[in-house]
Amino acid sequence: MNVPLLLLLLFQLSRSAVLTGSERAYLEHQLVAEGRVSGRRTGRLYCRVGIGFHLQIHPDGRVNGSHEPNPLSVLELFAVSQGVIGIRGVFSSRFLAMNKRGRLHATESFTDDCKFRERFQENSYNTYASVIHKNHHTGREWFVALNKRGKAKMGSSPRVKSQHVSTHFLPRMNLHEKTEQGFTITDKEQEKQPPPHPSTPPIPKIAVNTGKNNRPVVKYWPKFRFG
C-alpha cells in the first residue's frame, strides 16, 4: 500500500461522522487488510472453563475451543480504537464476529460485528464483549464465551456474564519468544579452582578415588501455572 492511498484512507476516516455505516466498515476493512492497524498481538486466548480450552477459528466459519493448542488457535489481536479490538485467526484468515442473535462465527470481511471491547478483570483474565450487540432492554452486554465442552456459547444467554468463568480468557502472547529461565547448581570445589594461564600447558586429569561421590550438574526449572 502506497503512502498517498494511506493518507486518503486516514482523511476519509476523519470524516467518519458523515459516512454511512457500510462506507466506514469498508475503510476499516482496508486498513485491517493492509496491516495498518496498531497494537498487533499474536498468540492464543485460553479460557479457564472446564478442563481449559483455547479459542480457535476454523476456515469454514466455525468457532469453538480446543484443549490442546494447534494452528487454528493462533490468533491475532489488533486495536481498532481505545479499548476496542478485532480478533483474526492466523491460519483461517477469518475474523471473529457475533451476529445480532449473539452467536459466534467467523467472517472473511471485517465489519462492526467483529469489534469487541476488551476488559481486564481482577483475576488477571480478560473478557470480550460485543460493541454493537447487547440486550437493548436491560443494557446487559453479550460476551465471547465457551462452555465446559469447548463449544461456543450464545452471548445472548442470561448465564453468560462477566463474572462467569466461561467468559474469562487469558491472552498467551509472544509464542515465538522462548527464553531460558532457570538456574544451575555446580560443585563449589570446581568454582574455587582458578582458570589456567594461557601460556601454561594443560595438565592431564588423573582419576583418583577420594571416596566422594561425583555430583552431576543439576538444572532446576520453575513451573508456571495459569488459572
Side-chain angles (χ1 to χ4, degrees):
M1 181 177 179
N2 53 19
V3 176
L5 183 57
L6 174 60
L7 295 177
L8 178 61
L9 289 175
L10 293 176
F11 174 74
Q12 293 292 342
L13 285 178
S14 63
R15 299 173 56 249
S16 59
V18 297
L19 294 178
T20 62
S22 59
E23 292 176 345
R24 184 164 57 254
Y26 172 76
L27 292 176
E28 290 175 349
H29 172 68
Q30 291 297 322
L31 290 176
V32 172
E34 296 294 338
R36 298 297 179 177
V37 293
S38 61
R40 288 184 177 272
R41 296 169 289 165
T42 302
R44 294 184 172 92
L45 290 180
Y46 175 79
C47 184
R48 58 183 297 207
V49 68
I51 58 176
F53 296 94
H54 297 87
L55 183 68
Q56 58 182 5
I57 300 176
H58 296 263
D60 58 0
R62 292 183 296 114
V63 177
N64 58 9
S66 173
H67 178 60
E68 297 294 335
N70 56 70
L72 291 176
S73 62
V74 179
L75 308 176
E76 182 183 57
L77 281 66
F78 54 91
V80 178
S81 60
Q82 184 176 3
V84 178
I85 68 168
I87 302 175
R88 184 181 71 91
V90 175
F91 179 80
S92 61
S93 296
R94 288 177 174 265
F95 299 95
L96 180 67
M98 180 182 292
N99 61 16
K100 60 182 180 180
R101 297 180 55 192
R103 184 180 299 277
L104 290 176
H105 65 282
T107 178
E108 296 180 354
S109 302
F110 185 81
T111 61
D112 288 340
D113 293 343
C114 305
K115 296 179 181 179
F116 296 93
R117 197 175 305 279
E118 184 181 36
R119 291 190 179 93
F120 185 76
Q121 303 298 319
E122 296 179 355
N123 58 357
S124 300
Y125 284 82
N126 291 358
T127 58
Y128 300 90
S130 176
V131 173
I132 62 173
H133 298 302
K134 61 181 180 180
N135 191 324
H136 296 285
H137 296 286
T138 62
R140 184 179 60 84
E141 293 181 310
W142 294 354
F143 294 89
V144 177
L146 299 175
N147 63 13
K148 61 182 180 180
R149 293 182 296 274
K151 295 183 179 180
K153 301 183 69 173
M154 296 285 291
S156 57
S157 174
R159 297 184 179 181
V160 178
K161 301 179 181 180
S162 60
Q163 298 85 2
H164 199 267
V165 294
S166 61
T167 63
H168 294 177
F169 290 87
L170 180 67
R172 293 178 172 178
M173 303 302 164
N174 301 327
L175 298 178
H176 303 289
E177 299 180 2
K178 297 182 179 179
T179 57
E180 191 178 77
Q181 298 179 354
F183 54 91
T184 306
I185 295 180
T186 58
D187 193 354
K188 293 184 178 181
E189 295 181 358
Q190 296 179 0
E191 295 179 355
K192 294 180 179 179
Q193 295 179 358
H197 194 272
S199 61
T200 305
I203 302 176
K205 296 182 179 180
I206 302 176
V208 180
N209 187 6
T210 59
K212 297 182 179 179
N213 297 329
N214 295 328
R215 298 181 179 179
V217 177
V218 181
K219 285 189 175 182
Y220 292 87
W221 302 96
K223 294 184 178 180
F224 300 93
R225 182 177 178 182
F226 299 94

